[in-house]
Amino acid sequence: MTLLGDTSVIFGRYLRATLRSKTNLFFGMLQPLLFLALFGPLLTRFDLGIGGSSWQALVPGVLVQLALLGGSFVGLGLLMDRNLGVIDRMRVTPVRPLALLLGRVLRDVVQLLTQSVLLVLLGLAFGLRAPLAGIVIGLLFVGVLAAALSALSYGLAMNVATPPEFAAIANTAGMPLMLLSGLLLPMSLAPGWLDGLSRVVPFRYTVDAVREAFLGHYTDTTVMIGAAVTLVLTALCLLAGARLFQRPGA
């Protein structure tokens, strides 16, 4: 079998497992929807400085937040499989080692994109107004970012001993990145020093690009820069994740 064939086998296995886990599937879908429904109305009277309604600032931010948090913590599931010996048994099969990573990553992308579509539909019900092309572009950003962070998360999970260690690393790295990315509020509202500090965080450029796409500014410089930064980040994360995942002794 080719790498593509092996990847599809692993993807199918984990997708079926995800669909069988009705409780995890339900609450995984419910949490971001509740966040949007309960937090979004608080911003409807504020001018967030990006044009359009507050939903055009919040919904793209929540989409990227979903990719960031959802992608970063998927390694916990792999860590449990590794500690139970599941990964060792799969590694002695003819399946290519890289397919064990890519199949999981593809499952995560499909799951997060499904959640993202539900978020957009809820945002439209609340008052979001965005062109279809802008929504599709935003979902592409989410899918690419989710793949990058999932791969890195799995690589990390293969190189830590326990779930608490993994959670500590992911939380410590994820919290400042989330706050400095302007996910909930645009960083243009921040003091100058905080706005300057946020410019070293690549997720800021992704969020800004998705917001511009939702406004219909497809060829805007912000979208081009966001796409370039996101693609470079994705390439680095996929490379690092693959190396960590296949590292001898991992």
Side-chain angles (χ1 to χ4, degrees):
M1 295 180 67
T2 63
L3 176 61
L4 181 60
D6 289 344
T7 299
S8 66
V9 170
I10 301 301
F11 166 70
R13 179 188 188 278
Y14 284 106
L15 181 63
R16 289 190 295 272
T18 299
L19 294 175
R20 285 196 299 268
S21 181
K22 298 296 191 297
T23 301
N24 287 339
L25 196 62
F26 174 75
F27 285 102
M29 296 286 189
L30 183 63
Q31 289 176 2
L33 296 178
L34 285 176
F35 181 86
L36 187 65
L38 299 179
F39 183 74
L42 298 176
L43 302 178
T44 54
R45 296 184 179 180
F46 292 92
D47 180 10
L48 301 182
I50 68 162
S53 70
S54 60
W55 295 105
Q56 287 171 298
L58 180 63
V59 174
V62 175
L63 288 176
V64 177
Q65 181 187 45
L66 179 64
L68 197 160
L69 294 181
S72 297
F73 284 90
V74 292
L76 281 171
L78 176 70
L79 183 57
M80 290 186 284
D81 280 355
R82 194 200 75 187
N83 290 342
L84 291 172
V86 175
I87 301 301
D88 288 337
R89 291 194 293 272
M90 295 182 75
R91 279 180 159 177
V92 299
T93 66
V95 175
R96 289 165 174 77
L98 186 58
L100 299 177
L101 172 65
L102 296 180
R104 282 178 173 266
V105 168
L106 186 58
R107 184 278 311 268
D108 298 331
V109 171
V110 170
Q111 182 175 352
L112 287 170
L113 283 177
T114 302
Q115 293 174 326
S116 298
V117 170
L118 293 177
L119 275 173
V120 171
L121 292 176
L122 182 61
L124 291 171
F126 275 117
L128 170 69
R129 296 296 177 262
L132 178 60
I135 293 174
V136 171
I137 291 172
L139 292 177
L140 287 175
F141 272 100
V142 171
V144 171
L145 186 60
L149 295 175
S150 294
L152 193 60
S153 179
Y154 288 133
L156 174 63
M158 292 297 290
N159 291 273
V160 297
T162 65
E165 290 179 12
F166 178 93
I169 295 172
N171 278 319
T172 302
M175 184 58 66
L177 290 175
M178 185 176 69
L179 294 175
L180 288 172
S181 298
L183 297 178
L184 303 182
L185 296 172
M187 291 307 297
S188 57
L189 302 177
W193 67 269
L194 191 59
D195 181 45
L197 182 61
S198 73
R199 295 185 184 279
V200 304
V201 178
F203 303 115
R204 169 178 177 159
Y205 300 95
T206 304
V207 176
D208 289 345
V210 176
R211 284 178 174 145
E212 289 297 323
F214 270 54
L215 290 171
H217 305 158
Y218 312 127
T219 59
D220 190 89
T221 304
T222 301
V223 178
M224 300 297 108
I225 294 175
V229 171
T230 304
L231 289 175
V232 170
L233 175 67
T234 299
L236 294 175
C237 287
L238 288 174
L239 180 61
R243 289 190 174 182
L244 289 171
F245 188 86
Q246 300 180 91
R247 195 177 72 172

